[in-house]
């Protein structure tokens, strides 16, 4: 487990083969050898087979195959692997770096002889000082390694260091962990508390960092543009070393406009300062900070605010939404409203517009010419906001129009829902049995009442048809859009009681009515008591045909005397629903079914909006209140989802993206007519819509060049979009000037140009961008907080603690860091050497067995015994001349022959 406790880890449930590419070679060879030996054992060369030898050989070959395949299996171990990550960015300084080295050496000295350590130093980039080495080698490396700032001292990328350390630990047996020595002031790679690919290993953190007294400003966040007299919120941010009570004064063009008191907490603090944009032009803003009357110069920050001309927003809606128009007007926007047919169809109609809002507008309400002109205007730099509702997005057939290409979301969401527009066919039994009274009305009367009430849940583009039957089927109303609701209600009055019942006639007409499948939701509601004159195999054929036509079916069995078996079987065969009800229950059932069928793209309930990442819609007056419904969509690959809703699917609530030189946003709920009831009368309503539209509108100054600036570790990232008559301009030659130096911009994408400019001093930095051979020119300012590293004093205990908690590590003191307790773990260990040892043992066993079976062992034993007997004979010296020894030998020979002759004679006498 990732925790540092002493509990043993769970045994891995599987083994693993590391290399199987060559394992088939010895396996094939083994099969060939075994086949050849079998032929020898059972052929003319051998009369006896020895299965024991074959088993030994097969076992040896299997062991060789497993060794070659690199079989790894769980193995218990307590040896630890550690990666020490050593921060060497300029925020530490030489003195703290040496304290860091001493702390790391102290931790290494606590390790065992079999533990291994890897060393990684990092600032903006990680550098591996050594891979996994023994404790003594790691100590020597750590004592001699240079920990002074590297090639990117002004940056800190803890995420990259953790990823590098994790790579050194992967695949190693035994418990592994990383120990991070850092102040935690990362400015690259993302926040600490969000584990990345390195999250598989525990991370213990040793906070370090010098404490810089006072407050260090991080800058002012102001809107890219503002409109005359528009309410603007300026956001001041700063780091504080301790809790303080300060006074913030916002100064615009040398005149104080806002003064607020603020209590600063240790760490990062923000404060919102309201401001009226004033008249068109560029305004210089500055925040002055005092504590007990004394100025805090390190906390001061400044910025420039560009105020353009009066913004004009065109709201397109079938009926004027007064709440939305009033909200935009209160935010300083000039609002015009038109019906869908009033949307401009040529370029001149868009002159002077900053943004267009489509509020619950169905796509068919706009002509192809209007849609095409809107697309061209947005691509040329316009801003478009599409707001949902019961006739917008998927419910408004955007999927089959030019508008679908403009949107950052996919409205034709057929992987989650089947269709968008609905065609409902009510098939009503008006036979004599439906005239029976149930409650205060008849079965037929209750059915008609339910149909009329269900019409309120349909959208304007939905179509309704009514078919009645007794012994014959008759169309009361062909498919009619709900826009002709009065005609539909009038058709209900035409239904009268009839005679007998033949349900097959009605079902045959149903199949003819829908025809081949199409891009609409096709559904039939059959209201009958099931008392039909015919009930045969026709219903099985009908069910198959209905499914092939992609038509769904709901059967409502009306009354107490119904043919439940027939109706239930028919519903089951068509995978539909069957409701046995009395007459009084019919309206509620039809309402439920209408909602279920037609609202596939609508989610209703109580949903709390959830911000995704850093919310660019700041200071809307608090958190967004709950919403009571939205249209289901799916974000496109390049879309940016800023708000999402839903407990399971996390559907987009607000998403945007860039379309050509313009920007398009979608809000999938409505503008307050139905689903935003909890927003009504709140400040958040006005500010939300104002910031959404302001984020889409074009800037007067940026007609040909749009400048975007961002500071990261004392480096300004300059990004420019070049436009030519509203189109992205490629091949332009652009230069950015700062501090008397010029830096060329490289085209990194069509119409996009980028450059990195180093910043030498803190404070407000001014930039100008111009075409070397063209009229394009723009300017901008950005705040450099005195070097991001140096301005952030002290260790980020909160961030480091969150990192350790998220990965199962611990926070360690700088004076006495300790490794995690030794614990028993299971890890996959390569068993190649073990299997090779068994190959050798089995080979020697087979060799010995073969030697025994062939008698070679007996011969060797006899030879050894003879040799040993000869060696054991005592040494006897010669006692006489050689002639005497010869005579003695001759005498013994004669005696031997006499004994042999006597034996033969004795044998003959016995015969």
């Amino acid at each position: 487990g990732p925790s540092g406790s002493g509990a043993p880890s769970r045994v891995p449930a599987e083994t693993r083969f590391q290399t199987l590419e060559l394992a088939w070679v010895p396996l094939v060879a083994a099969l060939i050898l075994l086949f050849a030996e079998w032929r020898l054992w059972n052929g003319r060369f051998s009369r006896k087979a020895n299965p024991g030898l074959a088993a030994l050989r097969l076992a040896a070959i299997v062991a060789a195959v497993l060794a070659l395949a690199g079989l790894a299996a769980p193995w218990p171990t307590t040896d630890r692997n550690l990666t020490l990550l050593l921060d060497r960015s300029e925020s530490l300084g030489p003195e703290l770096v040496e304290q860091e080295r001493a702390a790391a050496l102290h931790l290494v000295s606590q390790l065992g002889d079999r533990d291994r350590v890897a060393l990684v130093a990092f600032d903006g980039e990680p550098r591996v000082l050594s891979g996994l080495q023994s404790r003594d080698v790691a100590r020597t490396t750590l004592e001699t390694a240079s920990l002074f700032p590297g090639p990117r001292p002004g940056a800190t990328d803890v995420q990259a260091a953790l990823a590098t350390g994790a790579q050194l630990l992967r695949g190693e047996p035994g418990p592994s962990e990383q120990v991070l020595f850092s102040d935690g002031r990362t400015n690259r790679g993302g926040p600490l508390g969000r584990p990345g690919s390195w999250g598989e290993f525990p991370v213990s953190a040793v906070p370090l960092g010098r404490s810089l007294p006072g407050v260090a400003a991080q800058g002012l966040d102001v809107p890219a543009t503002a409109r005359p007299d528009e309410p603007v919120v300026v956001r001041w941010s700063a780091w504080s070393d301790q809790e303080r009570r300060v006074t913030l004064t916002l100064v615009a063009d040398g005149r104080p406009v806002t003064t607020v008191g603020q209590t600063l907490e240790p760490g990062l603090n923000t404060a919102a300062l309201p401001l009226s944009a004033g008249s068109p032009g560029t305004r210089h803003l500055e925040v002055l900070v005092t504590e007990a009357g004394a100025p805090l110069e390190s906390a001061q920050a400044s910025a420039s605010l560009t105020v353009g001309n009066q913004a004009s927003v065109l709201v397109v809606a079938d009926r004027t939404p007064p709440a939305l128009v009033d909200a935009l007007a209160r935010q300083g926007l000039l609002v015009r409203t038109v019906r869908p047919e009033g949307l401009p169809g040529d370029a001149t109609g868009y002159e002077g517009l900053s943004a267009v809002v489509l509020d619950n507008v169905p796509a068919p309400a706009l002509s192809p010419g209007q849609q095409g002109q809107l697309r061209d205007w947005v691509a040329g730099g316009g801003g478009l906001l599409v707001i949902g509702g019961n006739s917008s997005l998927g419910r408004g057939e955007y999927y089959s129009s030019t508008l679908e290409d403009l949107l950052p979301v996919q409205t034709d969401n057929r992987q989650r829902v089947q269709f968008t527009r609905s065609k409902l066919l009510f098939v009503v039994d008006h036979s004599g049995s439906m005239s029976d009274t149930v409650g205060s009305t008849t079965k037929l009367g209750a059915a008609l009442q339910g149909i009329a009430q269900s019409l309120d849940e349909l959208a304007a583009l939905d179509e309704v048809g009514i078919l009645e039957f007794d012994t014959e089927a008759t169309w009361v109303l062909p498919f009619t859009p709900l826009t002709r609701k009065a005609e539909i209600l009038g058709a209900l009055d035409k239904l009268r009681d009839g005679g007998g019942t033949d349900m097959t006639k009605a079902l045959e007409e149903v199949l003819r009515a829908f025809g081949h499948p199409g891009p609409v939701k096709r559904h039939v509601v059959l209201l009958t008591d099931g008392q039909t004159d015919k009930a045969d195999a026709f219903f099985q054929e009908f069910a198959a045909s209905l499914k092939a036509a992609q038509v769904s079916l709901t059967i409502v069995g009306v009354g107490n005397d119904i043919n439940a078996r027939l109706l239930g079987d028919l519903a089951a065969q068509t995978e539909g629903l069957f409701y046995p009800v009395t007459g009084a229950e019919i309206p509620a059932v039809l309402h439920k079914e209408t909602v279920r069928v037609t609202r596939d793209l609508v989610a209703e309930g109580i949903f709390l909006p959830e911000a995704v990442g850093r919310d660019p819609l700041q200071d809307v007056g608090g958190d967004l209140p709950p919403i009571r419904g939205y249209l289901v969509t799916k974000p496109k690959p390049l879309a940016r989802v800023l708000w999402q809703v839903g407990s399971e699917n996390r559907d987009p609530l607000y998403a945007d993206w860039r379309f050509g030189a313009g920007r398009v946003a979608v809000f999938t709920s409505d503008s307050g007519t139905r689903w935003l009831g909890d927003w009504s009368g709140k400040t958040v309503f006005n500010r939300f819509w104002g910031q959404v539209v302001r984020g889409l509108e074009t800037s007067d100054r940026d007609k040909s060049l749009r400048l975007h600036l961002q500071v990261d570790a004392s480096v300004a990232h300059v990004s420019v979009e070049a436009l030519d008559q509203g189109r992205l301009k490629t091949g332009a030659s652009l230069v950015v000037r700062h501090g008397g130096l010029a830096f060329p911009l490289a085209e990194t994408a069509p119409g996009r140009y980028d450059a990195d400019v180093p910043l030498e001093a803190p404070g407000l930095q001014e930039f100008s961008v111009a075409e070397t051979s063209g009229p394009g020119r723009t300017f901008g300012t950005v705040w450099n907080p005195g070097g991001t590293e140096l301005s952030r004093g002290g260790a980020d205990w909160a961030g480091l603690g969150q990192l350790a908690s998220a990965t199962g590590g611990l926070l360690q003191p700088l004076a006495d860091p300790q490794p995690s307790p030794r614990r028993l773990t299971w890890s996959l260990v390569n068993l190649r050497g073990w299997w090779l040892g068994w190959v050798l043992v089995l080979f020697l066993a087979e060799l010995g067995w073969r030697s025994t079976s062939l008698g070679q062992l007996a011969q060797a034993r006899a030879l050894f015994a003879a040799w040993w007997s000869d060696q054991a004979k005592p040494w006897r010296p010669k006692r006489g001349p050689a002639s005497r020894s010869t005579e003695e030998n001759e005498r013994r020979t004669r005696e031997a022959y006499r004994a042999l002759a006597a034996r033969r004679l004795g044998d003959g006498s016995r015969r």
Side-chain angles (χ1 to χ4, degrees):
S3 67
S5 65
S9 298
R10 187 175 56 186
V11 179
E14 75 283 340
T15 57
R16 183 182 63 187
F17 288 97
Q18 295 177 343
T19 55
L20 286 172
E21 292 82 357
L22 299 178
W24 61 272
V25 177
L27 187 60
V28 172
L31 294 175
I32 295 175
L33 288 174
L34 290 176
F35 177 75
E37 190 164 16
W38 176 81
R39 293 287 296 173
L40 290 175
W41 283 342
N42 297 278
R44 58 183 179 178
F45 300 106
S46 177
R47 298 183 180 276
K48 285 186 177 181
N50 193 336
L53 288 174
L56 281 176
R57 175 168 297 179
L58 181 61
I61 293 174
V62 170
V65 170
L66 293 176
L68 185 61
L71 176 66
W75 198 263
T77 181
T78 59
D79 300 336
R80 294 171 293 188
N81 303 305
L82 284 83
T83 297
L84 305 188
L85 309 175
L86 307 171
D87 191 345
R88 59 175 183 176
S89 59
E90 67 179 11
S91 61
L92 301 183
E95 180 180 351
L96 196 55
V97 166
E98 291 307 316
Q99 294 181 24
E100 175 185 26
R101 188 197 305 270
L105 287 170
H106 175 76
L107 186 145
V108 171
S109 66
Q110 310 300 313
L111 300 176
D113 295 336
R114 295 175 58 88
D115 295 333
R116 298 188 299 165
V117 184
L119 301 174
V120 177
F122 69 95
D123 43 33
E125 295 177 355
R127 177 192 171 202
V128 178
L129 301 180
S130 70
L132 286 172
Q133 303 287 348
S134 66
R135 176 192 62 184
D136 296 335
V137 174
R139 182 189 296 116
T140 302
T141 303
L142 190 57
E143 289 173 345
T144 59
S146 172
L147 297 182
F148 291 105
R152 303 184 67 182
T156 302
D157 193 343
V158 176
Q159 293 270 3
L162 289 167
T164 302
Q167 187 64 31
L168 296 174
L169 296 175
R170 287 193 181 98
E172 297 296 333
S176 300
E177 71 167 323
Q178 301 198 70
V179 181
L180 172 65
F181 294 82
S182 175
D183 59 1
R185 302 302 185 186
T186 180
N187 52 23
R188 293 286 177 89
L192 292 179
R194 188 175 61 224
S197 60
W198 43 266
E200 59 193 285
F201 301 108
V203 178
S204 293
V206 180
L208 46 91
R210 53 179 178 166
S211 178
L212 295 181
V215 183
Q218 299 301 292
L220 292 183
D221 188 5
V222 300
T225 59
R227 298 300 174 179
D229 300 323
E230 176 185 6
V232 174
V233 175
V234 177
R235 181 177 290 271
W236 170 85
S237 60
W239 287 90
S240 177
D241 62 334
Q242 58 186 327
E243 182 176 323
R244 296 170 177 270
R245 181 65 183 178
V246 298
T247 300
L248 307 176
T249 302
L250 176 61
V251 179
D253 298 328
R255 299 180 59 184
V257 293
T258 303
T259 300
V260 297
Q262 180 84 7
T263 299
L264 304 183
E265 301 290 339
L268 182 63
N269 296 264
T270 59
L273 305 173
L275 170 72
S276 176
S279 57
T282 301
R283 306 193 66 181
H284 178 75
L285 305 179
E286 185 177 13
V287 173
L288 304 179
V289 184
T290 59
E291 182 182 20
L296 296 176
E297 295 183 0
S298 62
Q300 298 179 5
S302 59
S304 295
L305 174 66
T306 301
V307 182
N309 296 321
Q310 183 73 32
S312 178
V313 178
L314 182 65
V315 177
V316 183
D318 186 55
R319 60 182 183 85
T320 303
L324 176 63
V325 173
D326 182 66
L328 296 178
R330 288 178 178 273
Q331 295 298 305
L333 301 174
L334 180 62
V335 183
R336 291 194 297 121
T337 61
V338 296
R339 294 177 59 84
E341 57 270 19
L343 182 70
D346 52 43
T348 57
Y350 287 94
E351 289 293 333
L353 288 180
S354 299
V356 172
V357 179
L358 300 182
D359 184 18
N360 197 24
V361 176
L366 303 177
S367 68
Q370 288 176 311
Q371 296 182 31
Q373 188 58 50
L374 177 62
R375 177 196 58 200
D376 294 342
W377 177 73
V378 173
L384 173 64
L385 171 63
V386 178
I387 303 176
N390 63 346
S391 297
S392 182
L393 301 177
R395 295 280 287 157
E397 296 192 48
Y398 277 51
Y399 63 87
S400 60
S401 69
T402 304
L403 297 177
E404 177 78 6
D405 299 333
L406 280 167
L407 303 183
V409 296
Q410 177 183 338
T411 64
D412 187 14
N413 205 7
R414 299 193 183 186
Q415 291 183 353
R416 289 175 50 186
V417 296
Q418 291 296 319
F419 305 101
T420 53
R421 185 162 53 89
S422 300
K423 293 181 70 173
L424 267 72
L425 177 59
F426 293 95
V427 181
V428 183
D429 183 352
H430 74 138
S431 62
S433 60
M434 291 290 288
S435 62
D436 295 340
T437 301
V438 286
S440 60
T441 184
T442 64
K443 297 179 183 178
L444 181 60
L448 298 181
Q449 180 184 355
I451 295 174
Q453 293 180 2
S454 66
L455 298 180
D456 295 334
E457 298 301 331
L458 299 178
L461 299 177
D462 294 334
E463 297 182 30
V464 176
I466 302 175
L467 180 68
E468 66 176 4
F469 72 94
D470 46 18
T471 56
E472 297 292 334
T474 305
W475 280 97
V476 178
L477 178 75
F479 283 114
T480 304
L482 197 68
T483 53
R484 296 154 59 185
K485 185 176 180 179
E487 183 178 342
I488 299 174
L489 293 174
L492 294 176
D493 296 333
K494 300 178 181 178
L495 272 77
R496 296 290 183 270
D497 295 337
T501 307
D502 186 358
M503 194 187 305
T504 60
K505 298 293 185 180
L507 299 184
E508 289 174 349
E509 189 62 26
V510 166
L511 294 176
R512 285 192 292 268
F514 283 103
H516 297 291
V520 293
K521 179 73 175 181
R522 301 139 63 83
H523 189 72
V524 177
V525 179
L526 174 61
L527 298 100
T528 180
D529 56 10
Q531 303 298 335
T532 180
D533 295 337
K534 295 182 181 180
D536 49 22
F538 165 84
F539 293 102
Q540 295 182 357
E541 298 177 1
F542 168 78
S545 300
L546 197 70
K547 291 172 63 177
Q550 298 182 6
V551 179
S552 55
L553 174 67
T554 295
I555 301 177
V556 181
V558 182
N560 298 318
D561 185 20
I562 61 175
N563 191 345
R565 184 190 60 81
L566 171 65
L567 299 180
D569 290 346
L570 180 59
Q573 293 169 5
T574 58
E575 299 180 359
L577 299 178
F578 171 53
Y579 295 93
V581 299
T582 63
E585 299 170 332
I586 291 178
V589 170
L590 289 184
H591 179 273
K592 175 182 176 181
E593 276 301 283
T594 304
V595 171
R596 183 183 68 84
V597 172
T598 62
R599 294 195 185 177
D600 283 343
L601 285 171
V602 176
E604 290 192 315
I606 298 179
F607 307 98
L608 186 63
E610 177 184 347
V612 180
R614 180 180 181 273
D615 175 26
L617 305 177
Q618 300 176 353
D619 301 308
V620 294
D623 296 332
L624 294 187
I627 64 171
R628 298 185 178 274
Y630 65 94
L631 295 175
V632 178
T633 59
K634 180 180 179 181
K636 294 180 180 178
L638 298 180
R640 183 181 63 156
V641 178
L642 304 181
W643 293 86
Q644 62 186 11
V645 287
S647 57
E648 296 181 1
N649 297 313
R650 297 302 186 194
D651 296 316
L653 175 63
Y654 179 83
D656 66 0
W657 72 349
R658 184 163 295 282
F659 185 86
R663 198 159 198 86
V664 181
V666 168
F667 185 71
T668 58
S669 190
D670 61 18
S671 62
T673 56
R674 179 172 183 174
W675 293 329
L676 295 189
D678 293 334
W679 297 34
S680 178
K682 293 183 172 63
T683 304
V684 65
F685 185 87
N686 294 346
R687 290 187 176 178
F688 176 82
W689 292 117
Q691 291 195 32
V692 165
V693 174
R694 186 169 57 241
L696 299 172
E697 62 185 10
T698 59
S699 169
D700 296 333
R701 189 187 63 188
D702 297 337
K703 290 299 184 181
S704 59
L705 297 177
R706 293 180 178 177
L707 174 63
H708 306 277
L709 297 168
Q710 182 180 0
V711 172
D712 186 1
S714 295
V715 175
H717 302 288
V718 183
S719 179
V720 178
E721 289 178 338
L723 306 175
D724 183 10
Q725 296 181 353
R727 305 285 182 176
L728 292 174
K729 183 177 182 179
T730 60
S733 177
L734 303 179
V735 173
V736 56
R737 298 183 181 277
H738 169 69
L741 300 177
F743 301 86
L745 287 95
E747 187 171 8
T748 57
R752 179 186 175 95
Y753 302 82
D754 294 279
D756 288 342
V757 178
L759 304 178
E760 300 296 336
L764 192 65
Q765 309 292 317
E766 296 184 355
F767 296 84
S768 64
V769 178
E771 291 186 83
T772 57
S773 58
R777 183 177 297 276
T778 189
F779 68 92
T781 59
V782 69
W783 177 264
N784 180 31
T788 307
E789 284 285 321
L790 291 177
S791 66
R792 298 181 175 183
D796 183 6
W797 284 82
L800 293 173
Q802 186 179 3
L803 170 65
S805 175
T807 59
L810 302 172
L811 275 180
Q812 300 275 11
L814 180 62
D816 185 25
Q818 299 287 332
S820 295
R822 192 179 299 275
R823 55 192 172 89
L824 177 66
T825 60
W826 295 82
S827 60
L828 292 175
V829 178
N830 194 324
L831 302 179
R832 180 178 285 113
W834 190 86
W835 286 112
L836 288 176
W838 270 107
V839 171
L840 179 60
V841 171
L842 293 172
F843 172 74
L844 293 177
E846 181 191 1
L847 184 61
W849 195 335
R850 287 184 180 277
S851 298
T852 302
S853 63
L854 294 176
Q856 295 177 355
L857 188 60
Q859 295 179 13
R861 187 184 301 110
L863 290 175
F864 179 77
W867 174 82
W868 182 258
S869 177
D870 185 63
Q871 297 299 318
K873 289 181 180 180
W875 180 74
R876 299 174 181 177
K878 296 181 180 180
R879 298 182 179 180
S883 58
R884 187 174 179 179
S885 176
T886 302
E887 292 175 357
E888 181 68 20
N889 290 337
E890 290 176 354
R891 183 182 63 79
R892 291 180 178 179
T893 301
R894 286 194 297 271
E895 289 178 354
Y897 276 109
R898 290 193 192 100
L900 181 61
R903 185 181 300 172
R904 289 182 177 178
L905 288 175
D907 293 340
S909 65
R910 285 193 291 270
R911 293 192 190 95

